Amino acid sequence: MELLLKNVADPIDKRKDNSDKKELFSKKHHPQTANYFKDQWAFIEDKMVRENIAYQMQYLEFMVHLYNDYQIYLTIESLLCKDIIVTVGGIIEAALFDLIASARKKAGMGEAERTDFTVLLGQAYNEYGLIDKDMWHFCHELRKVRNLVHLKAADFREHVAYTPEQANDCIKKLEEFRLKLEK
């Protein structure tokens, strides 16, 4: 297997890295800037969490453009869909953790401890009303898919396990989630 080849053209300007390679997408299909996504997720109080969500949103957009612009082999299609689903799950988890931490801080409670996604979902639904029952169920299913990143835990063939329809459902739910919380 080949290794990644990185070309550092200018050690100060990282945007020039790999400038000797073919451009992957036309300008119209470049992902939005991180600042664009930071603005969309401005309701996330922790700056670092908001930045990390913005970077994951860029990656998500990149994966969508990759799928839409190129003929993707079947196994790679399934795994690309898996990456999309897992990325959506990570974004939702980070956002919920931040929102709960912010609510606790406003209520004069101590800092929220890192907890697993299941507990976080219970808190978001039952204690803080951040998500409705439909989103709670969706996130539990999403959590199950995220847990399958461990190949030994998968009891199915990865090359047919994930579909564009599942990935699209996750992308739509992520946008619904963001729009509801943005208000």
Side-chain angles (χ1 to χ4, degrees):
M1 172 165 290
E2 287 188 52
L3 299 177
L4 299 174
L5 301 174
K6 174 108 173 152
N7 175 5
V8 178
D10 180 347
I12 296 171
D13 186 357
K14 295 288 183 196
R15 288 185 174 98
K16 293 181 182 175
D17 286 2
N18 295 320
S19 59
D20 61 325
K21 297 179 182 180
K22 294 181 270 186
E23 190 169 320
L24 182 59
F25 296 127
S26 66
K27 288 281 186 201
K28 72 176 186 166
H29 278 188
H30 284 197
Q32 297 289 335
T33 65
N35 285 335
Y36 171 83
F37 291 114
K38 287 178 201 174
D39 290 344
Q40 279 197 326
W41 291 83
F43 57 90
I44 300 296
E45 288 186 18
D46 185 304
K47 182 182 176 191
M48 192 176 306
V49 172
R50 187 172 53 253
E51 287 176 353
N52 285 336
I53 287 173
Y55 305 143
Q56 291 299 305
M57 290 298 298
Q58 280 185 307
Y59 181 53
L60 185 61
E61 188 175 20
F62 169 82
M63 289 187 286
V64 169
H65 287 314
L66 184 65
Y67 183 85
N68 289 342
D69 287 2
Y70 291 92
Q71 180 182 6
I72 305 292
Y73 309 111
L74 290 177
T75 300
I76 305 305
E77 176 185 72
S78 178
L79 295 174
L80 182 61
C81 290
K82 177 183 179 179
D83 280 351
I84 289 170
I85 293 165
V86 168
T87 299
V88 167
I91 292 167
I92 290 173
E93 183 176 18
L96 287 176
F97 183 81
D98 176 81
L99 292 165
I100 289 171
S102 295
R104 290 177 59 87
K105 184 178 175 183
K106 286 176 187 161
M109 301 168 74
E111 282 191 32
E113 291 183 27
R114 282 281 173 202
T115 185
D116 71 13
F117 202 17
T118 305
V119 173
L120 195 64
L121 290 173
Q123 291 174 336
Y125 175 62
N126 294 312
E127 295 174 41
Y128 296 94
L130 295 169
I131 56 176
D132 60 21
K133 192 171 189 172
D134 180 52
M135 182 58 87
W136 181 78
H137 284 295
F138 168 78
C139 287
H140 268 293
E141 292 305 311
L142 184 60
R143 178 191 58 79
K144 291 176 189 175
V145 172
R146 282 185 58 206
N147 286 345
L148 296 176
V149 297
H150 309 289
L151 297 178
K152 65 181 181 175
D155 59 353
F156 53 81
R157 292 185 175 151
E158 287 248 315
H159 75 283
V160 293
Y162 310 96
T163 67
E165 293 78 20
Q166 290 171 311
N168 282 336
D169 286 344
C170 289
I171 293 167
K172 289 175 191 171
K173 282 290 194 184
L174 176 62
E175 184 61 6
E176 288 173 25
F177 172 78
R178 185 188 68 78
L179 290 172
K180 181 181 182 244
L181 294 171
E182 178 180 58
K183 296 176 182 179

